[in-house]
Amino acid sequence: MAALLTIGEFSRLTHLSVKTLRHYDDVGLLRPADVDPSSGYRRYATAQVPIAHVIRRVRDLDMPIDEVREVIEAPDVEARDRAIVEHLARMEAQLDRTQTTVASLRAMLEGGGGDPVAPVEFRSVPAVRAIAVEDRVDWDDTGPWLGDALGELHAAVGAAPGAVRTGPDAALYSEEFFELHTGPVTAYVPVAEEFRPRGGGRVGLIDVPAVELAVMVHRGPFAEIDQTYGALGSFVAERVLAADGPIREHYLVAESDVDDPDEARTEVCWPIRRGGTTR
Amino acid sequence: MAALLTIGEFSRLTHLSVKTLRHYDDVGLLRPADVDPSSGYRRYATAQVPIAHVIRRVRDLDMPIDEVREVIEAPDVEARDRAIVEHLARMEAQLDRTQTTVASLRAMLEGGGGDPVAPVEFRSVPAVRAIAVEDRVDWDDTGPWLGDALGELHAAVGAAPGAVRTGPDAALYSEEFFELHTGPVTAYVPVAEEFRPRGGGRVGLIDVPAVELAVMVHRGPFAEIDQTYGALGSFVAERVLAADGPIREHYLVAESDVDDPDEARTEVCWPIRRGGTTR
DNA sequence: TTGCTCCTCACGTCACGTGAGGTGGC
DNA sequence: TTGCTCCTCACGTCACGTGAGGTGGC
């Protein structure tokens, strides 16, 4: 019953390569049942075959080894299944993004010639009072982070009596955030001067500084907003208008609020030199 | 029109990080329009923004950089689209495998307790004449390779007059193939002694040696055949019957011949010691 | 006894990310 | 002029794969 197998035999039973088995031993994911102390020969038990098969499955699904370890060391079935379900959910979200990317790529290659460029509007914006959530954000976490942050801001506005909001949902993205794909981001909602958010949480009060902006409306999903950045940024660069400072986005129609993502509307606001428009 | 941008500015227009842009320069994927010879400063043209956006899309789809280079250097639209379509087809095939793996994992975790183990049959097999295709095969290429090889063998058999086939489609998998995930594999079709395949192609004549085998029928898709390997291999190991030599598979009902993959039938044949069954 | 299986480093792969240490441009 | 942006190495990451060189087990 408790037969021991060489690493080569175990490889044939599990369909894991010998190199992979040694690696899983090294990282503590799948330890042989026994190791000969003099020769170092690994001995695996037939009872380890089912665990190896599960590991093979989840690794085929690209679950990181640290998570695989959690799965197989899970104290109970619930904890184990939760880890797997979470990974499957992440895979599904990834798949959705993939579909969007494929569609977007097709559109770019097919309609490559004459994509209608949206008009640019120049805007002189005064300083505004806002409630805000500020954080260092990693590029790939931006979507969920923004959703959470705006959710907290909406709760703060909603809890207050009367109409306090003075503008659409918005965010400031630092130059560092674009260049390093990690850096400061500020989600904010403009509010009346006298508004005071209640304590607790990450919600604070800020003054968004006055700026000159070149503004272009992005029509469509967030995943394609680089197109508008490219068009607007090129427009600004070719007219030598560029100024330092964070880029703003105004979420006029959020993707989550419409059925068709093509109906989403985002203003992309590029900082430009003072007086740049009057030249 | 031909505005030049610093790497930081280009990063904001393209949503590629500065590190990524430098990497793409290093590997020759996206060279800046100009490089200052004294400072080494990279200067990108606004005209490069659309190419950068395409690169971003295909990289998001995990296309390898070497292929991306082919795409953007493609001499014409047809060559470019062909490379992309091929990659999308590979992604789709991968997605199919992912679905199968998820289903298989679920089945393993839910029905974990009492999976009905198929019976083991001992079989003394004489040497048989066969037409064969032999090759060194990489693990991940096995499915397509086997399909191609059996296709060639079917063509050789079909071209001959009369009934020459004497057994089902089969293959020999070397120990090296399992342990290194690359190694010799032989696809073969048993034929009558007097049969001679016509020259040309990879099809040759072999004598598959006589062996003692422990045999278990695998019911279901190829992707789950490791389960049967585990059950059969454990059975053999626990009775100390194991012998050297390649593992055989007999394709009684091929997955490609049935609508429901659960109807596929594959005999897995494990070499055992002579007289092992009479002990 | 032979050769085959197993062992342990050390390094390579892929597509970048992370610092360290230093120079040029507005 | 200051500090900020840019530069180039060199090394790290992740999950293994690829040899090199050597020893133990049937």
Side-chain angles (χ1 to χ4, degrees):
Chain A
M1 277 298 280
L4 290 180
L5 306 163
T6 66
I7 196 169
E9 292 170 327
F10 194 65
S11 164
R12 291 194 282 281
L13 270 71
T14 58
H15 288 190
L16 295 166
S17 78
V18 165
K19 290 287 185 179
T20 299
L21 287 170
R22 285 205 267 260
H23 181 63
Y24 289 170
D25 182 11
D26 289 345
V27 300
L29 179 58
L30 180 59
R31 289 269 161 74
D34 182 54
V35 176
D36 184 310
S38 75
S39 70
Y41 274 36
R42 295 170 178 83
R43 297 287 169 171
Y44 293 86
T46 52
Q48 295 183 285
V49 170
I51 306 138
H53 283 157
V54 170
I55 292 175
R56 206 173 94 82
R57 294 285 181 292
V58 295
R59 282 294 306 136
D60 278 350
L61 300 175
D62 289 324
M63 182 182 283
I65 283 196
D66 283 346
E67 283 178 45
V68 179
R69 203 184 285 111
E70 285 175 34
V71 166
I72 61 175
E73 289 174 358
D76 50 58
V77 177
E78 285 72 36
R80 187 196 66 181
D81 289 357
R82 205 180 317 124
I84 291 175
V85 166
E86 277 172 23
H87 181 68
L88 293 181
R90 278 200 302 278
M91 287 187 66
E92 202 137 358
Q94 174 58 46
L95 179 60
D96 283 353
R97 285 195 296 277
T98 297
Q99 312 260 15
T100 309
T101 302
V102 169
S104 172
L105 178 61
R106 273 194 220 282
M108 282 174 63
L109 295 176
E110 286 169 13
D115 45 342
V117 174
V120 176
E121 178 197 339
F122 294 102
R123 203 180 288 173
S124 224
V125 176
V128 295
R129 171 64 51 94
I131 55 172
V133 174
E134 301 185 58
D135 209 348
R136 291 190 63 85
V137 179
D138 286 342
W139 186 269
D140 292 334
D141 300 338
T142 307
W145 180 87
L146 186 63
D148 290 351
L150 290 176
E152 291 177 40
L153 294 171
H154 293 170
V157 169
V164 293
R165 173 198 278 271
T166 60
D169 292 348
L172 297 172
Y173 297 94
S174 65
E175 302 179 338
E176 183 184 345
F177 173 77
F178 291 105
E179 293 172 18
L180 301 183
H181 277 198
T182 184
V185 178
T186 303
Y188 67 93
V189 173
V191 291
E193 280 291 335
E194 63 279 8
F195 178 69
R196 294 288 174 277
R198 290 191 271 180
R202 300 182 292 173
V203 175
L205 214 47
I206 63 166
D207 285 306
V208 185
V211 274
E212 302 286 311
L213 296 173
V215 180
M216 186 182 280
V217 174
H218 174 68
R219 312 173 148 251
F222 210 67
E224 295 185 352
I225 206 166
D226 58 346
Q227 304 280 340
T228 299
Y229 272 70
L232 178 58
S234 293
F235 178 97
V236 169
E238 285 159 7
R239 286 160 188 77
V240 203
L241 299 173
D244 288 343
I247 291 174
R248 304 179 181 204
E249 293 182 2
H250 296 157
Y251 305 104
L252 304 184
V253 180
E255 207 171 334
S256 54
D257 289 346
V258 287
D259 293 330
D260 181 359
D262 285 343
E263 291 177 18
R265 294 290 179 272
T266 307
E267 281 181 347
V268 178
C269 310
W270 211 275
I272 56 175
R273 294 186 294 116
R274 295 212 163 268
T277 66
T278 60
R279 142 208 71 106
Chain B
M1 274 296 281
L4 289 180
L5 306 162
T6 67
I7 196 169
E9 291 170 327
F10 194 64
S11 164
R12 292 194 282 281
L13 268 71
T14 59
H15 287 190
L16 294 166
S17 78
V18 166
K19 290 286 186 179
T20 298
L21 287 171
R22 285 206 267 258
H23 181 63
Y24 289 169
D25 182 11
D26 289 345
V27 300
L29 179 58
L30 180 59
R31 291 270 162 73
D34 183 56
V35 177
D36 184 309
S38 75
S39 69
Y41 274 36
R42 296 171 177 82
R43 297 286 169 171
Y44 293 87
T46 52
Q48 296 183 285
V49 169
I51 305 139
H53 283 156
V54 170
I55 292 175
R56 205 171 95 83
R57 294 286 182 291
V58 295
R59 282 294 307 135
D60 278 350
L61 299 174
D62 289 324
M63 182 182 284
I65 284 195
D66 283 346
E67 285 178 44
V68 178
R69 204 183 286 111
E70 286 175 33
V71 166
I72 60 175
E73 290 175 358
D76 49 59
V77 177
E78 286 70 35
R80 187 196 67 183
D81 288 357
R82 203 180 320 123
I84 291 174
V85 166
E86 277 172 23
H87 181 69
L88 293 180
R90 280 199 300 279
M91 287 188 67
E92 201 138 357
Q94 174 58 45
L95 179 61
D96 283 353
R97 286 195 296 278
T98 298
Q99 312 260 14
T100 310
T101 302
V102 169
S104 172
L105 178 62
R106 273 195 220 282
M108 284 174 63
L109 295 176
E110 286 169 12
D115 45 342
V117 174
V120 176
E121 177 196 338
F122 294 104
R123 201 179 289 173
S124 225
V125 176
V128 295
R129 173 64 51 93
I131 53 171
V133 174
E134 302 186 58
D135 210 348
R136 291 191 63 87
V137 181
D138 286 341
W139 186 269
D140 293 333
D141 301 337
T142 308
W145 180 87
L146 186 63
D148 290 349
L150 290 176
E152 292 177 38
L153 294 171
H154 293 170
V157 169
V164 292
R165 174 197 278 272
T166 61
D169 291 349
L172 297 172
Y173 296 94
S174 64
E175 302 179 336
E176 184 185 344
F177 173 76
F178 291 105
E179 293 171 18
L180 301 183
H181 276 197
T182 183
V185 178
T186 303
Y188 67 92
V189 173
V191 292
E193 281 291 333
E194 64 278 8
F195 179 70
R196 294 287 175 280
R198 289 190 271 180
R202 300 182 294 172
V203 175
L205 213 49
I206 63 165
D207 285 303
V208 185
V211 273
E212 302 286 310
L213 295 172
V215 180
M216 187 182 278
V217 174
H218 174 68
R219 311 174 147 251
F222 210 67
E224 294 185 352
I225 206 165
D226 57 345
Q227 304 281 338
T228 298
Y229 271 72
L232 178 58
S234 294
F235 178 95
V236 168
E238 284 159 8
R239 285 160 187 80
V240 202
L241 298 174
D244 288 343
I247 292 175
R248 303 177 181 204
E249 295 183 0
H250 296 157
Y251 305 104
L252 306 183
V253 180
E255 207 171 335
S256 53
D257 289 345
V258 288
D259 292 331
D260 181 359
D262 286 343
E263 292 178 18
R265 295 290 180 273
T266 308
E267 281 182 347
V268 179
C269 309
W270 210 275
I272 58 175
R273 295 187 294 118
R274 296 215 162 264
T277 65
T278 60
R279 140 210 73 104

